[in-house]
Amino acid sequence: MRFRPAPPGGRAEPPNADDAAAWVTGAVPDGWFTERPEIVVDRDEIIIWARVPEPDLGPDATDADRAAAQAGRINQFREDTRDDRIRVARQIEHHYQRKVAWGIRCGDTNELFTHLAAPVMTRLRQPERQILDTLVDAGVARSRSEALAWCVKLVGQHTEEWLADLRQAMTKVDELRRQGPNTI
């Protein structure tokens, strides 16, 4: 697979990653995870979310004990599989032309290992800048960029259903485009 050429003044699009979940499942060694990994893809990054077995602490364990044991299990997985995860990530990065991050779940504990923070440029008028500045002045964020990231996160949390519907509609449009006449 190769990058599609960049449009004039634009950025090259990475190859299609519709089959990334199957590809990653085939590339990961058997026995690493208790279930098939969840693959989250955008134009910059592929995140592999996977579940490892919970440690058995017995019925007398407290919530704090469970959280500590789960964090320890995730840390041990991270250390034990580092070289193999890097090897698999390099293969995926080469195949799909995107960075790869690993997220591990154990019980109620989730940890995302080194992942991409992509810069996004935007132009804001004064009313929008004042919102960001208020968040900075109130100590909610350290900078305008952190305040903007906080706002995006908040919108995402409060519009999950709408965003899911929008993504589903976009997938349908992509399917219809692929079925349409080939004019190129």
Side-chain angles (χ1 to χ4, degrees):
M1 293 188 174
R2 297 183 354 216
F3 273 120
R4 287 182 234 141
R11 163 183 160 196
E13 287 292 320
N16 186 302
D18 289 346
D19 64 348
W23 202 96
V24 169
T25 299
V28 170
D30 291 337
W32 269 14
F33 308 126
T34 60
E35 57 193 43
R36 186 176 178 174
E38 173 192 355
I39 310 304
V40 180
V41 178
D42 71 10
R43 67 189 71 173
D44 300 308
E45 182 176 36
I46 295 175
I47 299 178
I48 303 166
W49 279 104
R51 185 167 293 283
V52 296
E54 288 185 63
D56 182 14
L57 297 177
D60 296 335
T62 66
D63 288 344
D65 290 339
R66 272 188 275 289
Q70 291 167 4
R73 176 64 52 93
I74 290 171
N75 185 65
Q76 192 61 48
F77 173 84
R78 185 177 190 177
E79 295 303 318
D80 289 349
T81 62
R82 184 179 312 276
D83 292 339
D84 289 330
R85 282 185 300 102
I86 290 170
R87 179 184 46 76
V88 170
R90 284 185 180 146
Q91 292 171 3
I92 296 166
E93 287 173 359
H94 176 74
H95 191 78
Y96 292 107
Q97 301 297 309
R98 293 167 173 86
K99 289 296 183 186
V100 173
W102 297 85
I104 302 300
R105 295 180 168 124
C106 182
D108 297 330
T109 304
N110 300 318
E111 185 174 339
L112 184 58
F113 304 160
T114 308
H115 58 285
L116 188 62
V120 177
M121 181 65 129
T122 187
R123 296 186 185 280
L124 300 175
R125 300 200 186 286
Q126 188 180 42
E128 291 87 13
R129 292 191 313 267
Q130 287 175 332
I131 292 168
L132 298 180
D133 291 342
T134 299
L135 293 171
V136 171
D137 293 344
V140 173
R142 292 179 297 215
S143 64
R144 282 180 171 176
S145 63
E146 190 176 279
L148 185 57
W150 184 84
C151 291
V152 169
K153 230 182 266 185
L154 189 63
V155 168
Q157 289 171 354
H158 291 286
T159 59
E160 284 181 37
E161 185 178 337
W162 180 81
L163 288 170
D165 290 346
L166 183 60
R167 288 183 186 112
Q168 186 177 14
M170 289 173 12
T171 300
K172 184 65 175 169
V173 169
D174 288 342
E175 289 172 14
L176 291 171
R177 275 194 195 122
R178 282 193 288 271
Q179 294 171 6
N182 189 357
T183 58
I184 298 176

